[in-house]
Amino acid sequence: MKFDSLSVLAISIGVLLFGMFLKKRFLILEKFCIPAPVIGGFLISIIIWILSFIEIKVDFDTSLQTPLMVAFFTVIGLSGSFKTLKSRRKSTFNLSRLLLVYGFNAKFYRHFHDKFIRFK
């Protein structure tokens, strides 16, 4: 099965609405702040995985992938608030430190690997 960009857009809107429905229906999803697109997308990925066992290949046109991903992450970022960030100041600071240390370690490892370990 192959879907063009218009079909992919229609399917993604349906998946989003289905995810919103499930989020309202199951309060645990709301409690853990799982976004509706993630809920719907997870279910679609399971369906596609099951279809692969009966040898039905599903192909999506990915021309809208980048703009839709930018929209998704923008909406997720805008759903945060400074009030929440300020109330969790210590954990936010610790997360920032952890990411900073990880970033430096990853860069150092890459530099070390390129200079000394990798054989050309």
Side-chain angles (χ1 to χ4, degrees):
M1 295 178 0
K2 188 167 177 77
F3 296 99
D4 62 344
S5 59
L6 186 59
S7 300
V8 170
L9 187 60
I11 290 169
S12 58
I13 290 171
V15 167
L16 174 65
L17 293 175
F18 186 63
M20 291 168 70
F21 168 75
L22 289 177
K23 187 173 180 177
K24 287 181 184 176
R25 183 123 169 118
F26 298 102
L27 296 178
I28 193 160
L29 299 172
E30 182 72 36
K31 180 181 176 185
F32 289 109
C33 299
I34 300 176
V38 172
I39 298 166
F42 184 71
L43 293 176
I44 289 297
S45 66
I46 290 173
I47 291 169
I48 292 172
W49 178 64
I50 291 170
L51 288 174
S52 72
F53 284 114
I54 54 176
E55 297 184 9
I56 296 177
K57 189 171 187 325
V58 180
D59 287 325
F60 293 108
D61 179 20
T62 59
S63 62
L64 293 176
Q65 181 178 4
T66 302
L68 291 177
M69 285 180 67
V70 168
F72 169 74
F73 287 112
T74 302
V75 169
I76 295 300
L78 291 175
S79 68
S81 67
F82 285 113
K83 181 181 176 185
T84 306
L85 187 62
K86 192 173 181 180
S87 70
R88 298 180 180 159
R89 188 177 299 160
K90 186 176 180 180
S91 60
T92 304
F93 178 71
N94 288 336
L95 177 64
S96 299
R97 271 193 330 189
L98 177 71
L99 292 174
L100 190 64
V101 167
Y102 173 75
F104 280 125
N105 285 339
K107 182 147 179 84
F108 175 76
Y109 172 78
R110 179 80 174 181
H111 177 72
F112 180 78
H113 183 267
D114 287 346
K115 289 283 185 185
F116 301 108
I117 296 176
R118 197 160 112 206
F119 298 104
K120 294 182 181 182

